[in-house]
């Protein structure tokens, strides 16, 4: 069984959230659309439906071209993305705090 990230547990396990979760988690690298679809666990055709909106809103940016493939990454200059990064880390932090608290309660 595949483990779901804290972000997806809180925000919902939907294709758009899967793509954002992947790009936010691995924000230091750029990826082709095929790699994004595979790593996010969404179908390529589904990604093609979502992708124009992500580009239009400036949430992703094309970084370079490798052969015939454009490479993309999350756009850290975008204010919405900056807030998403904060939210992503805050959810992870709170989930970790909750897990530690549960362990402490079990130990009592």
């Amino acid at each position: 069984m595949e483990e779901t990230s804290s972000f997806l547990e809180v925000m919902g396990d939907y294709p758009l959230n899967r793509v954002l979760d992947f790009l936010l988690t691995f924000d230091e690298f750029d990826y082709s659309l095929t790699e994004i679809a595979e790593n996010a666990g969404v179908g390529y055709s589904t990604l093609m439906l979502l992708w124009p909106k992500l580009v239009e809103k400036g949430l992703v940016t094309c970084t370079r071209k490798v052969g015939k493939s454009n490479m993309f990454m999350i756009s850290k200059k975008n204010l919405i993305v900056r807030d998403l990064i904060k939210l992503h880390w805050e959810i992870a932090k709170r989930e970790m705090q909750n897990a530690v608290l549960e362990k402490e309660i079990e130990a009592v």
Side-chain angles (χ1 to χ4, degrees):
M1 188 170 125
E2 193 175 306
E3 194 171 318
T4 303
S5 73
S6 298
F7 182 81
L8 293 177
E9 285 182 17
V10 172
M11 301 304 293
D13 192 355
Y14 305 104
L16 177 60
N17 288 346
R18 283 177 168 256
V19 171
L20 289 172
D21 184 42
F22 170 71
L23 292 171
L24 290 167
T25 301
F26 301 101
D27 62 349
E28 296 297 319
F29 304 101
D30 56 0
Y31 302 91
S32 69
L33 292 174
T34 301
E35 291 172 320
I36 292 169
E38 288 174 4
N39 288 303
V42 301
Y44 186 81
S45 58
T46 300
L47 180 63
M48 290 301 90
L49 293 173
L50 302 171
W51 199 253
K53 190 64 127 184
L54 294 173
V55 172
E56 176 188 321
K57 296 295 182 185
L59 301 179
V60 293
T61 186
C62 183
T63 56
R64 60 192 171 119
K65 189 170 184 109
V66 177
K68 293 182 180 180
S69 296
N70 289 324
M71 304 296 281
F72 297 91
M73 67 188 309
I74 198 85
S75 180
K76 293 180 188 175
K77 293 179 182 178
N78 184 294
L79 295 177
I80 294 169
V81 169
R82 288 182 184 188
D83 286 342
L84 284 171
I85 291 169
K86 289 177 193 172
L87 176 64
H88 195 259
W89 283 107
E90 191 63 31
I91 289 171
K93 184 174 84 174
R94 296 290 170 105
E95 288 291 312
M96 184 62 73
Q97 289 171 342
N98 286 342
V100 168
L101 184 59
E102 288 175 10
K103 292 268 186 204
E104 289 174 356
I105 291 172
E106 287 175 9
V108 174

